[in-house]
Amino acid sequence: MSELIRLTAAELSAKLAAREVSSEEATRAHLDRIAEVDAEVGAFLATNEEASLAAARAVDARRASGEELGELAGVPLAVKDVLVTTDMPSTSGSRILEGYMSPYDATAVAKARAAGLVSIGKTNMDEFAMGSSTENSAYGPTRNPWDLERVPGGSGGGSAAAVGAFEAPLALGSDTGGSIRQPAALTGTVGAKPTYGGVSRYGAIALASSLDQIGPCARTVLDTALLHDAIAGHDHHDSTSLDVAWPSMTAAARSGASGDSLRGLRVGVVRQLMIEGVQAGVKSSFEEALALIAAQGAEIVEIDAPHFEYAVAAYYLILPSEASSNLAKYDSVRFGLRVVPEGSGTVESVMSASREAGFGAEVKRRIILGTYALSAGYYDAYYGSAQKVRTLIQRDFAAAFEQVDVIASPTAPTTAWRLGSHGGDPMQDYLNDATTIPANLAGIPGLSLPIGTAVEDGLPVGLQLMAPAFEDARLYRAGAAIERLIEDRDGQPFWEQAPALAPASIGKAAR
Ligand code: GLN
């Protein structure tokens, strides 16, 4: 195992800038790590060694010629398969897009490449980002690097597991209902959902367009901020992308880690997010973290958000409605899989056979539900009501942010569960999203960072911070400060406790 894979992106950047290592060496080290452990972890759906090494060498050549490069230039990056790229297939975890090659790069990927980041692979995910465990991938599940018998969360379990297993220092994800934050929590990594519109969705295979947001995954708050800065900003290809001058998230993270930025910070704890069913060890880890935060001079304020208890119900009507419409384009004519049933080649029969073969059970369930919720006679009762609840949740947030600067909660009600233990019952997965969904419904930013392990199972617990729209930098400042408190308490950064670092825990010697 090369020592290079242990470095954070910030540390690796410094070595690259000082020319102590080349991007080719760093890229090679991570590709070797993937070759060593990914048969067990299953974080990647595709790699393209030749293209990745060529990109790395190109960055090295630019550096050698004295060109001024971005801070992350030469650092390897894993890309969730929801983002289309020209260098590898883009499937969104679905059979219906098996082998699909995009003619263009998603804007987030294009921006990352322009910043000199080197794409090293496409990561596994629940099909079309529908799920909370990555078990809904058509290509098999991803496993949690903390315990290979457990799920890494979802839908971005591949990206979270890739950074958690030291296969990549950075990864891109998408968060429609928690798919960056919840896997971060379950794998002991960091992930952020930017303000809706903060990062372009162009080239992100759409799930629910009013909720989808692209964002960064890493092992530290600073690394997450560095990647956030590299991909944020207006894009005329995405009409919902915000045309604002974002402050530097990196500067916010650096100032948070060095200063006493928690002093006087008003931290809200929403009574309705401490829901029944929060695992005891998650609750106690969260309370312990709150005590550490309070000891730094932050004010902990209990707040009410009476409509949050309807968030899961509203989300699971809005999301399927939008998804049923977005997924109508997989009609076997324009994209992907085409199945021609024997003896009948009408457009309808081909479309129906292709969709039957190409979509998995959860995707079909949501298409059926969404089509029903949008149909004449039911629209007002379901989709219309859900939209009203969405407004009420937005008002709950607005009222809360009159009293507090940030809201804190456990990122997910539980730690990572055993593969298969939800037994295909989608409700159990849906309920795990109760803590992350409100932020998507309101379009506000959220960040998850590890705060320890649960007493009963020794698995990572994440703390979620939320802030008003446009205030992403506040999350990085506070997040970096909390990360420092946890590091001081434990005597080492959280990621150094990852069992994936013990040579025998993953790879040939495991199990
Ligand atoms: N678990 C959520 C869902 O299944 C998360 C989706 C997401 O953020 N992509 O819809």
Side-chain angles (χ1 to χ4, degrees):
M1 173 167 95
S2 160
E3 282 302 303
L4 289 176
I5 65 165
R6 298 177 65 109
L7 301 175
T8 66
E11 290 166 346
L12 181 56
S13 299
K15 287 194 186 297
L16 286 161
R19 301 209 209 165
E20 283 168 36
V21 285
S22 66
S23 176
E24 186 176 359
E25 285 166 321
T27 302
R28 165 66 63 202
H30 286 91
L31 289 170
D32 287 350
R33 175 69 173 173
I34 294 170
E36 182 196 352
V37 302
D38 208 56
E40 301 232 29
V41 179
F44 286 88
L45 291 179
T47 52
N48 180 344
E49 225 176 274
E50 211 178 301
S52 299
L53 291 172
R57 281 192 289 266
V59 176
D60 289 334
R62 283 167 64 193
R63 197 182 307 274
S65 75
E67 198 179 316
E68 190 77 40
L69 298 173
E71 187 159 353
L72 290 178
V75 176
L77 171 74
V79 178
K80 187 179 182 184
D81 211 31
V82 74
L83 290 162
V84 301
T85 61
T86 52
D87 53 356
M88 291 168 228
S90 305
T91 70
S92 210
S94 182
R95 281 280 167 226
I96 213 158
L97 282 174
E98 190 163 10
Y100 173 70
M101 288 302 297
S102 167
Y104 71 101
D105 278 329
T107 297
V109 174
K111 278 187 182 255
R113 287 199 214 277
L117 282 143
V118 175
S119 148
I120 54 166
K122 303 295 289 288
T123 58
N124 198 14
M125 54 183 283
D126 286 301
E127 184 175 8
F128 286 110
M130 298 179 189
S132 310
S133 70
T134 318
E135 292 171 293
N136 294 340
S137 168
Y139 303 98
T142 299
R143 290 164 183 273
N144 192 320
W146 278 71
D147 176 348
L148 295 171
E149 298 306 324
R150 306 235 176 201
V151 302
S155 66
S159 281
V163 297
F166 300 84
E167 296 171 272
L170 298 172
L172 290 173
S174 67
D175 193 313
T176 304
S179 287
I180 291 175
R181 291 163 288 155
Q182 183 258 17
L186 269 50
T187 58
T189 57
V190 182
K193 174 199 121 43
T195 295
Y196 181 79
V199 177
S200 170
R201 293 179 297 111
Y202 183 65
I205 295 171
L207 169 54
S209 306
S210 77
L211 301 161
D212 294 345
Q213 190 48 215
I214 301 304
C217 315
R219 290 189 293 270
T220 69
V221 173
L222 175 60
D223 283 3
T224 309
L226 281 161
L227 183 56
H228 189 140
D229 283 337
I231 58 173
H234 183 246
D235 174 18
H236 69 270
H237 288 304
D238 176 358
S239 61
T240 63
S241 97
L242 295 161
D243 197 357
V244 296
W246 292 99
S248 164
M249 306 302 157
T250 306
R254 287 204 166 110
S255 76
S258 59
D260 61 345
S261 47
L262 295 174
R263 191 158 309 285
L265 189 77
R266 295 169 305 164
V267 179
V269 177
V270 177
R271 230 169 259 122
Q272 288 80 0
L273 286 183
M274 295 308 294
I275 43 179
E276 221 182 293
V278 172
Q279 193 180 314
V282 170
K283 193 159 183 270
S284 54
S285 283
F286 176 68
E287 281 162 358
E288 214 179 290
L290 278 185
L292 286 175
I293 295 166
Q296 295 302 307
E299 188 190 337
I300 311 292
V301 187
E302 255 204 47
I303 49 175
D304 265 308
H307 301 97
F308 279 23
E309 60 178 297
Y310 308 111
V312 170
Y315 171 90
Y316 278 99
L317 282 167
I318 294 169
L319 179 137
S321 299
E322 295 187 17
S324 72
S325 157
N326 275 327
L327 269 56
K329 62 178 164 286
Y330 304 106
D331 56 6
S332 78
V333 177
R334 286 169 286 188
F335 297 98
L337 186 75
R338 177 174 305 167
V339 176
V340 181
E342 233 176 281
S344 161
T346 65
V347 172
E348 287 80 8
S349 70
V350 171
M351 212 180 276
S352 140
S354 303
R355 287 168 71 85
E356 164 62 26
F359 287 140
E362 182 61 20
V363 174
K364 286 176 185 156
R365 184 179 295 126
R366 295 197 194 191
I367 291 174
I368 291 167
L369 204 98
T371 307
Y372 183 77
L374 289 177
S375 59
Y378 298 100
Y379 184 96
D380 287 340
Y382 295 116
Y383 184 73
S385 304
Q387 289 291 21
K388 286 180 190 152
V389 171
R390 185 174 190 172
T391 302
L392 294 172
I393 287 168
Q394 287 165 353
R395 288 187 192 152
D396 281 355
F397 271 120
F401 285 127
E402 301 227 320
Q403 296 178 60
V404 298
D405 304 306
V406 295
I407 292 173
S409 77
T411 306
T414 68
T415 56
W417 54 94
R418 286 185 191 284
L419 274 131
S421 65
H422 283 185
D425 171 13
M427 263 320 265
Q428 290 196 50
D429 288 8
Y430 300 171
L431 289 173
N432 205 262
D433 302 338
T435 36
T436 46
I437 277 173
N440 300 82
L441 290 171
I444 64 169
L447 174 97
S448 177
L449 74 151
I451 50 168
T453 52
V455 276
E456 58 271 21
D457 55 22
L459 293 166
V461 175
L463 174 100
Q464 171 178 233
L465 292 172
M466 294 176 277
F470 302 100
E471 297 298 337
D472 305 50
R474 204 181 281 177
L475 300 178
Y476 286 105
R477 192 170 297 114
I482 296 168
E483 182 180 56
R484 169 60 66 85
L485 291 178
I486 301 298
E487 178 173 340
D488 289 348
R489 179 195 66 189
D490 298 351
Q492 59 183 349
F494 187 82
W495 57 264
E496 275 193 6
Q497 304 170 38
L501 274 182
S505 69
I506 293 186
K508 294 166 231 39
R511 292 175 300 147

